[in-house]
Amino acid sequence: MGDTPGPSEPTLEEQIAAYQREFQDLDPQVEEIVSALGRLNRRMNVAYGRQTATLGISNAEWEVLKALVLSGAPYQMGPGDLAKRLGLTPAAMTHRIDRMVAEGLVTRDRDENNRVRVIVELTAEGREKWLEAMRLATVFEEDLLQDLSQEERGALGEVLTRLLRRVEHAQPDAGGRLTDLD
């Protein structure tokens, strides 16, 4: 199962052969799956980044917009809650919010009921950017999965969800990042 490697990146077969040469206990089937998932994730992130860049936002900003939309109307969250959701430090979240306020994607105001609390809220422009990004992502994702039948898509979704649940159970704190991306 070959792929098109980058300029200096070996094919999956070459990578697995090198690993087997250096580590004989390797299960090549497991390594093929894990390496393919890793490469797919990396390439999908690059593709999404290119799409969001055409909209004038970064992947980091997209993640904030997504978190606010997922919170439901009225699309508000505290900066600390956003930081936890995205696995960021409070300082990194503040930096990201500052940028997004300046771009008109979110507002940041004091909570009327608790003046100590700050509320970050999605603006109409931020929601429109989110919708535009979703439209682009939908086209990309349909193209990505075009060769899979509905049954294969269902089976793949079930298998990946099982793997995700296993990792989430074993590593419940692994939802965030090891380092900030800003």
Side-chain angles (χ1 to χ4, degrees), residues 99-134:
R99 238 182 17 239
M100 294 179 74
V101 167
E103 294 169 1
L105 301 172
V106 300
T107 60
R108 175 180 39 211
D109 293 304
R110 294 266 174 220
D111 185 338
E112 294 296 324
N113 300 320
N114 178 353
R115 300 297 295 162
V116 174
R117 187 167 184 256
V118 173
I119 299 291
V120 177
E121 183 173 355
L122 187 65
T123 64
E125 182 178 346
R127 181 157 168 74
E128 187 53 40
K129 291 284 184 182
W130 178 81
L131 286 169
E132 289 176 41
M134 288 299 292

Side-chain angles (χ1 to χ4, degrees), residues 152-176:
E152 289 171 321
R153 289 179 183 199
L156 180 61
E158 287 176 27
V159 167
L160 291 175
T161 300
R162 280 196 344 245
L163 293 175
L164 178 60
R165 285 187 184 132
R166 178 176 296 278
V167 170
E168 288 174 341
H169 179 73
Q171 305 284 329
D173 63 338

Side-chain angles (χ1 to χ4, degrees), residues 6 10 23 28 58 65 68 75 109 118-119 130 135 147 156 168 176:
F23 182 68
S58 67
L65 298 177
L68 289 168
Y75 312 117
D109 293 304
V118 173
I119 299 291
W130 178 81
R135 288 181 194 109
D147 296 331
L156 180 61
E168 288 174 341

Side-chain angles (χ1 to χ4, degrees), residues 2-163:
D3 67 335
T4 306
S8 61
E9 186 176 41
T11 66
L12 281 177
E13 292 84 359
E14 291 168 340
Q15 177 180 329
I16 293 165
Y19 284 177
Q20 284 181 299
R21 182 184 65 238
E22 301 297 326
F23 182 68
Q24 290 76 35
D25 293 338
L26 181 86
D27 180 334
Q29 189 177 41
V30 170
E31 189 58 38
E32 179 181 27
I33 292 166
V34 172
S35 294
L37 284 171
R39 288 184 185 203
L40 178 61
N41 180 58
R42 190 173 69 244
R43 285 174 172 82
M44 288 177 69
N45 283 334
V46 168
Y48 289 136
R50 288 178 179 150
Q51 289 180 338
T52 57
T54 67
L55 303 175
I57 61 174
S58 67
N59 268 356
E61 292 167 328
W62 154 253
E63 288 184 4
V64 174
L65 298 177
K66 179 174 62 173
L68 289 168
V69 168
L70 290 174
S71 74
Y75 312 117
Q76 300 175 338
M77 291 181 77
D81 294 332
L82 276 168
K84 282 181 194 169
R85 171 93 40 103
L86 299 177
L88 298 173
T89 64
M93 191 74 250
T94 298
H95 176 70
R96 194 174 292 185
I97 291 169
D98 288 345
R99 238 182 17 239
M100 294 179 74
V101 167
E103 294 169 1
L105 301 172
V106 300
T107 60
R108 175 180 39 211
D109 293 304
R110 294 266 174 220
D111 185 338
E112 294 296 324
N113 300 320
N114 178 353
R115 300 297 295 162
V116 174
R117 187 167 184 256
V118 173
I119 299 291
V120 177
E121 183 173 355
L122 187 65
T123 64
E125 182 178 346
R127 181 157 168 74
E128 187 53 40
K129 291 284 184 182
W130 178 81
L131 286 169
E132 289 176 41
M134 288 299 292
R135 288 181 194 109
L136 291 172
T138 298
V139 171
F140 169 73
E141 291 158 0
E142 282 296 325
D143 184 58
L144 176 68
L145 298 174
Q146 70 179 332
D147 296 331
L148 300 181
S149 69
Q150 288 300 320
E151 295 78 23
E152 289 171 321
R153 289 179 183 199
L156 180 61
E158 287 176 27
V159 167
L160 291 175
T161 300
R162 280 196 344 245
L163 293 175

